[in-house]
Amino acid sequence: MDDLVAARATMAFSLGFHIIFAAIGMTMPFLMSVAHFLYLKKKDPVYLGLTKLWMKGVAILFAVGAVSGTVLSFELGLLWPGFMQYAGPIIGMPFSWEGTAFFLEAIAIGLFLYGWDRMSPWVHWTTGLLVGVTGFVSGIFVVAANGWMNAPAGFDWVNGVAQNVDPVKAMFNRAWPHQSLHMQLAALQAVGCAVGGIHAWLYLRGVASDLNLKALRIAMVIGASASILQPFAGHIAGESVAELQPAKLAAMEGHFKTSRHAALTVGGLPDVETQTMKWGVELPGLLSLLAHRDLNAEVIGLDKYPREDWPPVLIVHVAFQVMVAIGSAMALMGVLYFWFVRRGKFPRWFLWVVVACAPLGVVAIEAGWVVTEVGRQPWIIYGLVRTKDAVTPVPGMVYHFGLFVVLYLCLAVATVWLLRRQFRTVQQKFGG
Amino acid sequence: MIDILVCFIGASLLLYVLLGGSDFGAGIIELLPAGRLREAQKEVINHAMGPVWEANHMWLILIVVILFMGFPTIFTTLMIALHLPMLALLVGIVVRGAAFTFRHYDAVQEKRSQRIYTVLFGLSSLWTSLWLGIIAASLNRGIIDPAAREVWTAWFAPWWGVYPLAVGLFVVCIYAFLASIYLVGETEQPDLKKRFLRLAGWFNGLVVLAGGLVFVASTTERESLPSAFLKNPLNLAVIALATLLFVALWFFVAKRRTMLTRIVASGQVALILLGWYVLYAPNALITARGPLSFYTEAAPPATLWQLVLALLIGSLFIFPSIFYLFRVFKLPGGAKH
Ligand code: HDD
Ligand code: HEM
Ligand code: HEM
């Protein structure tokens, strides 16, 4: 592995790790607050048990999110000094607001976790809600930094140097709205459905039925609503990508030749050598319609770009297909969920569907980030700075990569082990 | 504007050392044999650190963000030359945060796993503090060479040597000292109180010894500390004051004035940091090719402006919340319900 590849792998691995805990940190506190609210209103001890159960989850997962986030803020410099050199002053602003939000989040979580008998119940409840709000806001800010990498704004590029820097314009770049909308929904969807799925599974196994059914309902209201909205947000993202980064869109769709009345290919594998799609189902005109709202619009293909400016087509295409497939399946599940809620009873097979969806949202998040980040290649700042020019001069990056893989794998194993112990104690406490 | 930012960096560093540092110190203390007091000590530390450690840790992130937004050259130079110590620091931060939280929230509290968490928590606290000191010492040695690409000179020499190691040990002792002083006020149990006081005494002695070691070790450097100090009388005054405060400290200890002992101990550490700032200001780094000053390496004014704005507005929210956090958990009789 050469140093560039190792650095990219390290970045991808540490972000891919962090984003799971970040999504949890943006969603779980809300679930917890709803349960806590219901307890304070109805005084039903089951809701208190649920609040405390979720709170312990939040505490464990938040700590992992916090330490992996700290690693990231260093890695921006450790891996990409050539990027931060330009980008720091331009996109530091969302990071500084994100930092403010984290600070408040860290304070709020301390107050909530340890403040049970030190504050009046509603003040205490508010601190729990604030954990969610500040986490959610920080997620919105940090995506602005990523949006800027996709749609650079707020500076003039003169002879390879950034001048007339305007951090406000940079923060309000054109990729931010669609990316943060889509990402925040993704967090709600993935975590809502994952929590719902876990409780559905415990319910099906006959563990603590009352608690698990209540938990399922709270989690799925959020998860299922977000699942239904997500394809629309994804469509908006697609339209923006068509406009801002045609090469990324072409790679996502395996669209090699610029054409009018372009077909949408469902599934299939792009073959870069022959520049064709194999085994896909073609839906004529649909790509033009989706990207430009016109069946006959021209969709730019990869042929408009020199070969060295192509992103890795296969990876981007497959990741995109995975995300869309999951998005469609989960949207369907979301609709069914509300239908069964209106009928007042969940059939067992549907609960198994919910269980099956539990890991899918997380997979879609990872796939979505692969689309965004790998689809931006070979640029680290789209159209301006190449990734290879931004990488650190430090040799032996492969050891850095190996170190973090080992460290994070240990952390992941320990986290899963701990969460399993939590669930086992639920069974003991609330009966089988 | 740059002045404001430098003040923010200085203040964040101070708060990180005082608050975050005492959390590290608590971990170091748990490595020492405690006999039958072990479980009680663990409980006290869990309750003292639990609500505040994530907030205390944020000061470090704040420094990183101010650096990469406001002073990108300083940030990138550091991250390239000190890649290895930074990596060591990160590993320590990850292990410590995880071990501490896992220990408290593990649903099944059994001896063996608790023991493993505690050892990991302690070792990583020690490890991280040591590297923090090494990094601090490496900033101003004049060895970092941004143009070097030869493995030893570029990536080892900047932090290798007895002097950085001595500073690392000094930081370890200071953290453990602060933690012992702070912990005295966290418990009502007389024998634990006595233990923390005894530890504070021991670490007080060690701080002085390690401080002396730093001075001796610095004679192997390009410019030794004694000669740098002699050039600057203000510095001598600062260090003399810090040492004199030991008298006040133990006076208040004898009078059992918990809050005052905490303030005096913090004041001593603040003075040591002040001495360090005075010695090198306004330079952030001294490299082999000359100093990098905050005043010459700053980002464009538009950026600095936004950064200052964010920090000031952020402070309006952060400081009252921190105050509330500490009032709820740290002040006697604070907001009990
Ligand atoms: C639960 C997760 C999830 C689901 C079900 C979907 N997505 Fe997604 N997608 C994401 C999670 C995600 C993400 C992780 O949040 C990304 C990565 C970067 C971003 O802004 O959002 C993303 C990126 C992303 C991008 C690239 C944006 C860019 O590079 O600027 C497009 C075009 C889509 N998505 C489109 C879709 C479509 C048409 C979906 C149809 C159902 C869909 N996504 C479902
Ligand atoms: C604010 C948010 C983010 C920033 C600033 C950011 C920044 C970066 C940088 C600097 C790189 C290295 C350069 C490159 O290879 O393009 C990178 C690569 C990458 N990032 Fe992001 N990223 C962000 C969000 C994410 C998230 C949340 C993920 C989640 C999975 C992610 C996944 C990746 C991947 C997969 C790569 C490697 C791409 C490749 O193979 O070349 N990114 N990102
Ligand atoms: C380069 C990119 C990133 C950096 C430098 C970064 C940095 C950080 C840091 C320093 C923390 C710890 C804060 C604390 O101690 O409380 C953190 C946590 C967090 N990050 Fe990231 N982050 C990045 C990407 C992302 C992305 C893409 C998202 C979401 C869209 C995100 C959302 C969060 C959230 C919600 C937390 C709170 C901790 C938790 O709930 O687990 N981060 N991040």
Side-chain angles (χ1 to χ4, degrees), chain A residues 55-56 59-60 62-64 66-71 73-82 84-93 95-100 102-104 106-115 117-121 123 127 162 165-168 392-395 397 399-400 403-404 407-408 411 414-415 417-418 421-423 425, chain B residues 46-47 49-62 64-65 68-70 72-73 75-76 78-83 86-87 89-91 93-98 100-102 104-110 113 117 149 151 155 299-300 302-303 306-307 309-311 313-315 317-318 321-322 324-325 327-331 334-337:
Chain A
M55 176 189 88
K56 287 185 183 146
I60 293 171
F62 186 92
V64 181
V67 293
S68 61
T70 308
V71 169
S73 51
F74 279 78
E75 275 186 344
L76 286 175
L78 289 175
L79 302 174
W80 312 106
M84 289 314 282
Q85 181 72 30
Y86 307 110
I90 310 177
I91 52 151
M93 195 173 152
F95 282 116
S96 66
W97 287 108
E98 182 215 18
T100 304
F102 282 150
F103 217 133
L104 296 173
I107 295 169
I109 199 165
L111 284 167
F112 182 77
L113 292 180
Y114 291 82
D117 43 34
R118 291 188 171 240
M119 288 179 269
S120 81
V123 173
T127 61
V165 169
D166 181 348
V168 182
T392 182
V394 177
M397 288 309 297
Y399 299 107
H400 183 147
L403 179 70
F404 272 93
L407 185 65
Y408 279 2
L411 201 54
T415 310
W417 183 71
L418 272 172
R421 281 159 76 111
Q422 297 284 355
F423 284 114
T425 44
Chain B
N46 270 354
H47 275 266
M49 268 178 73
V52 292
W53 78 268
E54 311 228 24
N56 293 347
H57 171 75
M58 282 304 297
W59 296 109
L60 178 67
I61 311 221
L62 199 61
V64 171
V65 172
F68 76 53
M69 181 170 176
T73 318
F75 178 69
T76 48
L78 262 179
M79 290 294 168
I80 294 174
L82 301 180
H83 193 107
M86 293 288 176
L87 211 53
L89 187 77
L90 285 179
V91 172
I93 287 175
V94 169
V95 175
R96 181 193 74 130
F100 178 72
T101 313
F102 290 1
H104 190 64
Y105 283 99
D106 194 340
V108 188
Q109 301 263 334
E110 24 110 10
S113 54
Y117 298 135
R149 289 294 175 265
V151 172
W155 290 291
T303 301
Q306 290 300 331
L307 182 55
L309 197 69
L311 288 170
I313 296 179
S315 307
F317 291 98
I318 290 172
S321 336
I322 292 222
Y324 184 66
L325 178 73
R327 198 178 70 121
V328 169
F329 294 107
K330 297 289 160 191
L331 293 187
K336 270 259 162 64
H337 186 75

Side-chain angles (χ1 to χ4, degrees), chain A residues 178-179 182-183 186 234 238 241 248 252 323 327 364-365 368-369 372:
Chain A
H178 78 257
Q179 280 199 256
H182 195 48
M183 177 64 225
V241 171
K248 184 190 276 182
M252 277 154 51
M323 171 170 64
I365 289 188
W369 279 108
T372 301

Side-chain angles (χ1 to χ4, degrees), chain A residues 44-239:
Chain A
D44 178 348
V46 171
Y47 283 117
L48 180 64
L50 189 56
T51 310
K52 293 220 165 167
L53 175 71
W54 280 345
M55 176 189 88
K56 287 185 183 146
V58 167
I60 293 171
L61 298 164
F62 186 92
V64 181
V67 293
S68 61
T70 308
V71 169
L72 279 177
S73 51
F74 279 78
E75 275 186 344
L76 286 175
L78 289 175
L79 302 174
W80 312 106
F83 166 69
M84 289 314 282
Q85 181 72 30
Y86 307 110
I90 310 177
I91 52 151
M93 195 173 152
F95 282 116
S96 66
W97 287 108
E98 182 215 18
T100 304
F102 282 150
F103 217 133
L104 296 173
E105 189 184 15
I107 295 169
I109 199 165
L111 284 167
F112 182 77
L113 292 180
Y114 291 82
W116 282 88
D117 43 34
R118 291 188 171 240
M119 288 179 269
S120 81
W122 285 105
V123 173
H124 180 236
W125 177 79
T126 312
T127 61
L129 183 68
L130 278 177
V131 177
V133 173
T134 47
F136 204 73
V137 170
S138 62
I140 295 177
F141 280 125
V142 77
V143 170
N146 188 264
W148 179 83
M149 295 164 68
N150 286 319
F155 62 94
D156 295 322
W157 197 245
V158 187
N159 301 328
V161 185
Q163 285 181 346
N164 303 327
V165 169
D166 181 348
V168 182
K169 265 200 194 139
M171 177 157 143
F172 291 91
N173 61 73
R174 292 182 55 207
W176 184 22
H178 78 257
Q179 280 199 256
S180 57
L181 174 71
H182 195 48
M183 177 64 225
Q184 300 313 98
L185 276 177
L188 296 175
Q189 167 178 3
V191 178
C193 293
V195 173
I198 291 171
H199 287 286
W201 189 64
L202 292 171
Y203 176 81
L204 285 168
R205 292 200 11 197
V207 180
S209 304
D210 188 25
L211 176 114
N212 282 314
L213 202 58
K214 287 186 159 107
L216 174 78
R217 283 170 172 272
I218 296 174
M220 289 306 290
V221 170
I222 294 181
S225 322
S227 305
I228 294 171
L229 295 174
Q230 188 68 304
F232 299 100
H235 171 66
I236 297 175
E239 284 191 331

Side-chain angles (χ1 to χ4, degrees), chain A residues 4 7-9 11-13 15-19 76 80 83 91 95 141-147 149 183 312 315 365-366 369-370 373-380 387:
Chain A
L4 173 61
R8 288 166 67 176
M11 194 70 196
F13 184 73
L15 273 158
F17 186 83
H18 178 66
I19 194 70
L76 286 175
W80 312 106
F83 166 69
I91 52 151
F95 282 116
F141 280 125
V142 77
V143 170
N146 188 264
M149 295 164 68
M183 177 64 225
I315 301 176
I365 289 188
E366 301 287 349
W369 279 108
V370 169
E373 303 288 306
V374 180
R376 191 187 57 239
Q377 302 304 318
W379 306 102
I380 190 165
T387 309

